[in-house]
């Protein structure tokens, strides 16, 4: 059987896409997070922030390929990724993120963090990306404690391998 031969020795994502014709992706090369399972870690519906709990904005705020994720840690221990932005070819784009957050989650408590390298002053105007973020949101952003690869990798991978009460993913 053609499809049985095609599926032999392939991972679930490959089989879903090329054998079953499902939406998905096929990995090329070694994944950063081998514990990521799109069928398990992807929300089945659009996630929204829960009122009464802070929204965390985590910026990758250095260089010309910057990003930000809006996440929330729920009382059940689940870390929910609510929104993500990737901004290429320009600096910190708080003018894109701020209006979205304020219009989508008016009055929500914010905690803002970012790449600790963002405390470095710019060669052109001597400002830091943290100063830009602080001014945009009207509160102090806190640099992450570490920029080490191991700390950043383990922070995510720990949630990928953890299961909650009813077998739910700790990262969604």
């Amino acid at each position: 059987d053609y499809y049985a031969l095609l599926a032999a020795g392939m991972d679930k994502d490959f089989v879903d896409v090329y054998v079953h014709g499902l939406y998905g992706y096929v990995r090329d090369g070694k994944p950063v997070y081998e514990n990521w399972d799109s069928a398990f870690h992807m929300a089945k519906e659009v996630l929204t922030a829960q009122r009464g709990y802070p929204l965390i904005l985590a910026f990758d705020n250095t260089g010309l390929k910057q990003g930000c994720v809006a996440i929330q840690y729920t009382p059940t221990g689940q870390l929910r990724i609510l929104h993500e932005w990737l901004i290429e070819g320009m600096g910190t784009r708080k003018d894109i993120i701020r209006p979205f957050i304020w219009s989508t989650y008016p009055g929500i408590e914010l905690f803002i963090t970012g790449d600790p390298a963002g405390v470095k002053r710019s060669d052109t105007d001597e400002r830091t990306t943290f100063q830009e973020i602080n001014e945009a949101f009207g509160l102090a952003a806190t640099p992450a404690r570490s920029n080490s690869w191991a700390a950043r990798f383990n922070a995510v991978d720990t949630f990928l391998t953890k299961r909650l009460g009813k077998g739910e993913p700790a990262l969604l």
Side-chain angles (χ1 to χ4, degrees):
D1 177 41
Y2 172 79
Y3 289 105
L5 290 173
L6 182 63
M10 304 310 268
D11 65 25
K12 181 183 180 318
D13 291 323
F14 181 94
V15 172
D16 283 348
V17 171
Y18 291 111
V19 176
H20 301 297
L22 300 174
Y23 172 78
Y25 69 96
V26 178
R27 295 178 179 158
D28 183 22
K30 185 177 179 187
V32 174
Y33 296 105
E34 293 183 4
N35 291 311
W36 169 261
D37 179 353
S38 56
F40 184 66
H41 292 105
M42 295 282 290
K44 307 299 184 244
E45 67 280 334
V46 175
L47 299 175
T48 58
Q50 294 181 16
R51 295 289 174 193
Y53 302 100
L55 185 67
I56 302 164
L57 297 180
F59 282 87
D60 179 1
N61 49 312
T62 58
L64 291 179
K65 288 189 176 180
Q66 297 192 15
C68 180
V69 291
I71 58 179
Q72 191 175 50
Y73 193 65
T74 69
T76 64
Q78 189 173 62
L79 185 65
R80 295 176 152 213
I81 301 171
L82 305 175
H83 307 283
E84 64 180 338
W85 297 267
L86 175 62
I87 300 120
E88 295 191 63
M90 60 185 81
T92 306
R93 299 310 297 191
K94 72 273 180 203
D95 55 328
I96 295 170
I97 298 165
R98 181 190 60 203
F100 177 84
I101 295 298
W102 285 354
S103 64
T104 307
Y105 304 111
I108 197 162
E109 179 184 355
L110 289 177
F111 176 81
I112 304 174
T113 188
D115 184 337
V119 299
K120 181 185 178 295
R121 295 186 334 187
S122 166
D123 292 335
T124 56
D125 66 1
E126 297 184 7
R127 290 169 42 86
T128 72
T129 57
F130 278 104
Q131 286 174 311
E132 292 179 27
I133 293 167
N134 293 348
E135 289 170 10
F137 287 94
L139 59 127
T142 305
R145 285 186 278 177
S146 173
N147 199 22
S148 80
W149 167 249
R152 293 184 305 159
F153 175 85
N154 290 331
V156 174
D157 200 54
T158 298
F159 278 96
L160 290 175
T161 57
K162 191 176 178 183
R163 302 292 183 263
L164 301 177
K166 297 178 183 174
E168 296 176 312
L171 179 81
L172 191 61

